[in-house]
Amino acid sequence: MRIEIPREAERFGANHIYGVQKVYELDSGLRQDAPASENSVIQNLPYETLYEIERDMAIVVPIRDERLKLLEGVLFGIPHQCTVIIVSNSRRAPVDRFKMEQDAVETWSRFTQKQLLLVHQKDPFIARALAEAGYPYILDENDLVANGKAEGMIVATLLARILGKRYIGFIDADNYFPGAVYEYVHEYAAGFALSKSPYTMVRIAWHSKPKVVQSQLFFAKYGRTSVVTNRFLNQLISYYTGFETEVIRTGNAGEHAMTMELAMLLDYATGYAIEPYHYIDLLEKYGGVIESAHPEVMQHQVNVFQIESRNPHLHESKGEEHIDDMILASLQVIYHSKICPEPIKREVLRELYRRGILSKGEEPAPPRIYPALLHVDLEAFRDALMRAPYAEQLETIAQARGYRRRLPRPTVTPPEGDGSEQVATPA
Ligand code: GDD
Ligand code: MG
């Protein structure tokens, strides 16, 4: 892949948020094809570089009652070297949609010899494993994992962790273009290849979202929710740095990836707030405005890359109603952030009143936040899953990638000799 190096970076404490990077060639060939001198503003990441990273990557596909054809298309687009983890919250009755997914996935993985794990979000083995591992926070009143994409993503992150994966990337199951999926995975790998920090996140900024407007195909650049979310996140940064910025373009990026080190450190918000909350959590924890619980990480950089995809993003249309829900969820986490100053809070309220999402005088409810996975007892989690019907599959995937029987306790101490940047405390 040939990709431009980031032209701008906003530094906020230990966080480096890089401006959107464009891709100039989706596939730049093998290492041997690289020309002797490279243009300094464009980085060449040969296929082998991306391949090596993707071998250590789990791609998580959250799904709830999507059309099977769409799920299949997404699977077709994921490079062979990635491990696929599908967390499904699809209906079991009156039609057992999960069983249909199982059948489709089984056929496909037989044809492709793919490393793949499909679990149901309401699987009692997972719920028990979470309880035994000391992470009951995402369980509901029935002692099963609660509904929600975020909850499914948390389960998948722990599964990827016990499978020994170093990177985790998320791709929604309702994507119409296998080619876009294929591209996102390579862009995740490109971000990790460019990063010098063990704490790295890569977020996809869509090139465009096709829509039909007055019988014509129109390629919209910005999502209606993300315009609002990005504006407020940028305002929050500007408030502290004193310089207006538009650096954040991916406030609601459902398609994103993280190093496992970072995935274990972040707190997670429920529902559609999960993606904007990534930014809030990073700004709060490593921004230097309030004291960090992880001073070790403050010594390093936390890198956020935003890469603009070339394929258009076309996903299932689920109606207009939930745009307001998504805006509310996004603004809720900004409003309730420990570092959100009064003027921005007032502006958030004005926005919500203006849109009729809240009535005058109302305040958004505090968001539901799940604690970081750092203190999950991974041994207990894995041991509990060894009683599940898919235990053998877990073992097979884990062993294929140098699985260690005894998992180390999670640590926040990054490897030596990396990221020697000074921490710039915001003004
Ligand atoms: N496991 C699981 N559990 N998956 C779920 C659940 C659940 O309870 N609910 C939804 N999903 C799956 C869907 O099947 C889909 O694959 C994915 O999660 C995203 O859900 P959508 O309902 O398609 O969300 P969206 O398209 O409105 O929003 C997406 O894009 C936004 C950015 O524009 C999401 O990824 C948002 O999180 C993101 O902010
Ligand atoms: Mg969708």
Side-chain angles (χ1 to χ4, degrees):
M1 176 170 289
R2 227 171 282 264
I3 184 167
E4 69 178 353
I5 57 167
R7 270 173 297 174
E8 52 167 346
E10 206 61 65
R11 296 183 54 170
F12 196 95
N15 297 301
H16 279 49
I17 303 170
Y18 293 105
V20 168
Q21 291 166 259
K22 287 190 195 306
V23 171
Y24 283 85
E25 216 176 16
L26 286 173
D27 187 336
S28 60
L30 299 175
R31 210 162 271 150
Q32 67 193 38
D33 302 326
S37 74
E38 276 286 320
N39 182 334
S40 59
V41 294
I42 308 284
Q43 182 92 29
N44 178 25
L45 300 168
Y47 184 77
E48 295 96 320
T49 303
L50 304 183
Y51 174 86
E52 285 300 323
I53 292 173
E54 288 161 13
R55 285 183 72 196
D56 287 326
M57 195 185 293
I59 293 295
V60 173
V61 182
I63 180 165
R64 185 173 194 179
D65 298 331
E66 301 293 353
R67 292 195 265 177
L68 276 184
K69 283 266 179 288
L70 293 185
L71 171 66
E72 284 171 346
V74 168
L75 298 179
F76 297 157
I78 301 173
H80 182 80
Q81 54 275 19
C82 302
T83 297
V84 180
I85 301 176
I86 307 171
V87 179
S88 170
N89 195 18
S90 299
R91 276 195 310 262
R92 308 298 311 257
V95 178
D96 191 346
R97 291 203 58 90
F98 179 61
K99 176 77 175 65
M100 289 160 68
E101 290 162 6
Q102 275 179 316
D103 292 346
V105 160
E106 198 190 298
T107 311
W108 177 73
S109 57
R110 212 175 37 243
F111 289 167
T112 57
Q113 298 296 303
K114 189 89 169 172
Q115 284 188 1
L116 185 142
L117 187 68
L118 165 63
V119 293
H120 199 275
Q121 195 156 325
K122 301 290 179 187
D123 174 3
F125 287 97
I126 290 181
R128 205 165 315 136
L130 286 165
E132 288 180 19
Y135 199 86
Y137 314 108
I138 57 171
L139 302 183
D140 63 11
E141 60 287 354
N142 301 318
D143 282 336
L144 294 175
V145 174
N147 291 331
K149 180 189 142 175
E151 288 73 2
M153 288 165 70
I154 291 173
V155 168
T157 304
L158 284 172
L159 290 171
R161 175 70 181 83
I162 63 163
L163 291 173
K165 296 289 145 188
R166 295 182 58 202
Y167 308 98
I168 183 164
F170 298 91
I171 296 191
D172 288 349
D174 61 342
N175 196 311
Y176 274 90
F177 296 153
V181 172
Y182 180 72
E183 180 185 354
Y184 299 154
V185 176
H186 287 328
E187 280 154 359
Y188 295 160
F192 296 128
L194 292 175
S195 182
K196 292 189 183 65
S197 169
Y199 305 106
T200 299
M201 178 179 286
V202 186
R203 300 167 80 91
I204 302 295
W206 302 324
H207 179 266
S208 59
K209 245 175 141 174
K211 302 179 180 188
V212 175
V213 180
Q214 292 175 341
S215 312
Q216 298 280 329
L217 203 50
F218 176 72
F219 292 87
K221 184 117 189 122
Y222 303 108
R224 279 162 300 170
T225 308
S226 46
V227 172
V228 181
T229 310
N230 294 343
R231 174 157 55 86
F232 280 102
L233 287 173
N234 284 320
Q235 271 183 26
L236 188 61
I237 293 181
S238 309
Y239 178 87
Y240 285 100
T241 59
F243 288 88
E244 209 167 18
T245 182
E246 291 188 335
V247 73
I248 295 186
R249 274 266 315 274
T250 56
N252 294 93
E255 270 66 34
H256 64 271
M258 285 179 270
T259 52
M260 199 46 90
E261 287 93 330
L262 185 58
M264 300 304 280
L265 277 183
L266 286 178
D267 291 348
Y268 294 100
T270 189
Y272 291 114
I274 186 166
E275 284 98 7
Y277 189 69
H278 288 148
Y279 276 117
I280 294 295
D281 195 42
L282 290 177
L283 298 179
E284 285 182 0
K285 280 196 183 131
Y286 311 114
V289 178
I290 45 181
E291 204 179 324
S292 176
H294 302 295
E296 318 88 290
V297 180
M298 291 295 288
Q299 298 301 313
H300 293 252
Q301 272 178 221
V302 178
N303 284 339
V304 180
F305 290 90
Q306 305 178 91
I307 302 182
E308 187 175 274
S309 59
R310 289 286 167 186
N311 275 280
H313 186 90
L314 184 63
H315 66 141
E316 191 72 317
S317 169
K318 301 200 174 119
E320 300 292 297
E321 313 82 52
H322 82 292
I323 300 276
D324 281 355
D325 295 344
M326 280 181 75
I327 292 177
L328 177 60
S330 303
L331 296 189
Q332 207 180 9
V333 290
I334 298 173
Y335 182 87
H336 284 285
S337 166
K338 292 194 263 301
I339 62 167
C340 184
E342 277 308 319
I344 297 185
K345 280 188 175 213
R346 282 198 295 273
E347 210 163 312
V348 166
L349 289 180
R350 269 199 296 274
E351 181 77 34
L352 291 169
Y353 299 156
R354 196 177 59 77
R355 290 176 173 271
I357 296 174
L358 290 184
S359 317
K360 275 237 161 74
E362 274 187 320
E363 266 191 288
R368 181 161 192 193
I369 307 293
Y370 298 122
L373 304 172
L374 193 67
H375 301 295
V376 172
D377 184 340
L378 295 168
E379 289 275 2
F381 184 71
R382 194 206 54 204
D383 288 349
L385 290 181
M386 285 302 128
R387 300 192 287 269
Y390 44 84
E392 205 180 304
Q393 235 171 316
L394 274 171
E395 285 276 338
T396 312
I397 300 174
Q399 271 160 12
R401 297 297 303 143
Y403 173 76
R404 283 165 295 171
R405 263 222 79 77
R406 291 204 64 75
L407 285 158
R409 296 287 304 168
T411 168
V412 291
T413 310
E416 274 178 50
D418 200 10
S420 54
E421 293 268 341
Q422 293 296 308
V423 174
T425 308

